[in-house]
Amino acid sequence: SIMTYVSYFRAFLAANTAFAPNCYAEGTGLYEGVAGKPAPFTVFAVNEEGERATRGGANVKCFLRDTDENEVVKVIIRDNLNGTYECHYQAPFASMPDPFTLHIQIGKAPIKDSPYHPMVKPGEPKPSQCYAEGEGIEKATAGKTAPFTVYMQDIKGTKLTEGGHDVDAWLEDPKQGKI
């Protein structure tokens, strides 16, 4: 009877042991991140026979590195105890156009399709870092257009290259206030 229990235990372990080449990941954080915001992804543990693990405990490791292979930020990993691992990193403020390298491993072996190369986009605009330029900033003539351009930058002063942010502008008279 001991041999029966041992064989059941070995079968149980085989069903719940993650085999790195069969494990995979999904989520937006594998491909892109926005500076200053969490970039999530999920790792799925799969055994050697190609079956999804039903328990946690796999030795999942994730590293976000720059082009010189220096670790950029710590990747947070949460074992859901069901064979999945919720992960995220807080993307650093982008100052280079090159992608980072995201390594995902089970133990020392990379999972399927690892490493990934997420692009980090600049974060939300920071009003104190934004500025405006143009003729309309200095002077305006009644009845004529006074053009100017507002340049948006994130908290680190990185110029935002995508639009869609709300901007409020108004003309103010010293005597009457907002016009």
Side-chain angles (χ1 to χ4, degrees):
S1 68
I2 291 174
M3 292 305 290
T4 302
Y5 287 122
V6 168
S7 67
Y8 285 140
F9 184 68
R10 289 187 64 194
F12 174 78
L13 284 179
N16 288 296
T17 302
F19 181 63
N22 291 348
C23 297
Y24 62 96
E26 295 177 351
T28 57
L30 300 173
Y31 308 104
E32 70 179 17
V34 175
K37 292 188 174 186
F41 60 95
T42 304
V43 176
F44 295 87
V46 179
N47 69 13
E48 201 165 356
E49 287 79 37
E51 301 166 339
R52 289 250 328 257
T54 58
R55 296 175 34 136
N59 187 13
V60 177
K61 297 177 183 176
C62 303
F63 307 97
L64 185 67
R65 297 190 171 132
D66 62 16
T67 53
D68 295 327
E69 287 300 310
N70 297 314
E71 193 165 354
V72 178
V73 293
K74 181 176 173 60
V75 179
I76 307 301
I77 304 166
R78 184 177 59 117
D79 186 344
N80 293 327
L81 304 176
N82 64 0
T84 64
Y85 301 82
E86 297 296 324
C87 308
H88 76 274
Y89 56 90
Q90 182 106 353
F93 288 95
S95 60
M96 62 178 115
D98 296 330
F100 292 98
T101 303
L102 176 62
H103 298 273
I104 304 173
Q105 303 171 188
I106 303 292
K108 293 184 178 184
I111 70 167
K112 184 179 182 181
D113 299 328
S114 180
Y116 295 89
H117 301 283
M119 294 294 293
V120 176
K121 298 177 182 178
E124 293 296 313
K126 177 77 173 169
S128 63
Q129 295 289 341
C130 300
Y131 63 96
E133 292 179 345
E135 182 182 325
I137 298 296
E138 299 295 323
K139 63 181 178 175
T141 304
K144 292 188 177 183
T145 304
F148 63 94
T149 303
V150 177
Y151 295 93
M152 309 295 260
Q153 297 186 147
D154 68 14
I155 195 168
K156 293 289 187 179
T158 303
K159 194 175 284 188
L160 303 182
T161 57
E162 294 181 15
H165 305 288
D166 291 330
V167 176
D168 288 329
W170 60 87
L171 184 60
E172 191 168 309
D173 182 284
K175 295 178 184 176
Q176 296 178 349
K178 285 186 186 180
I179 300 175

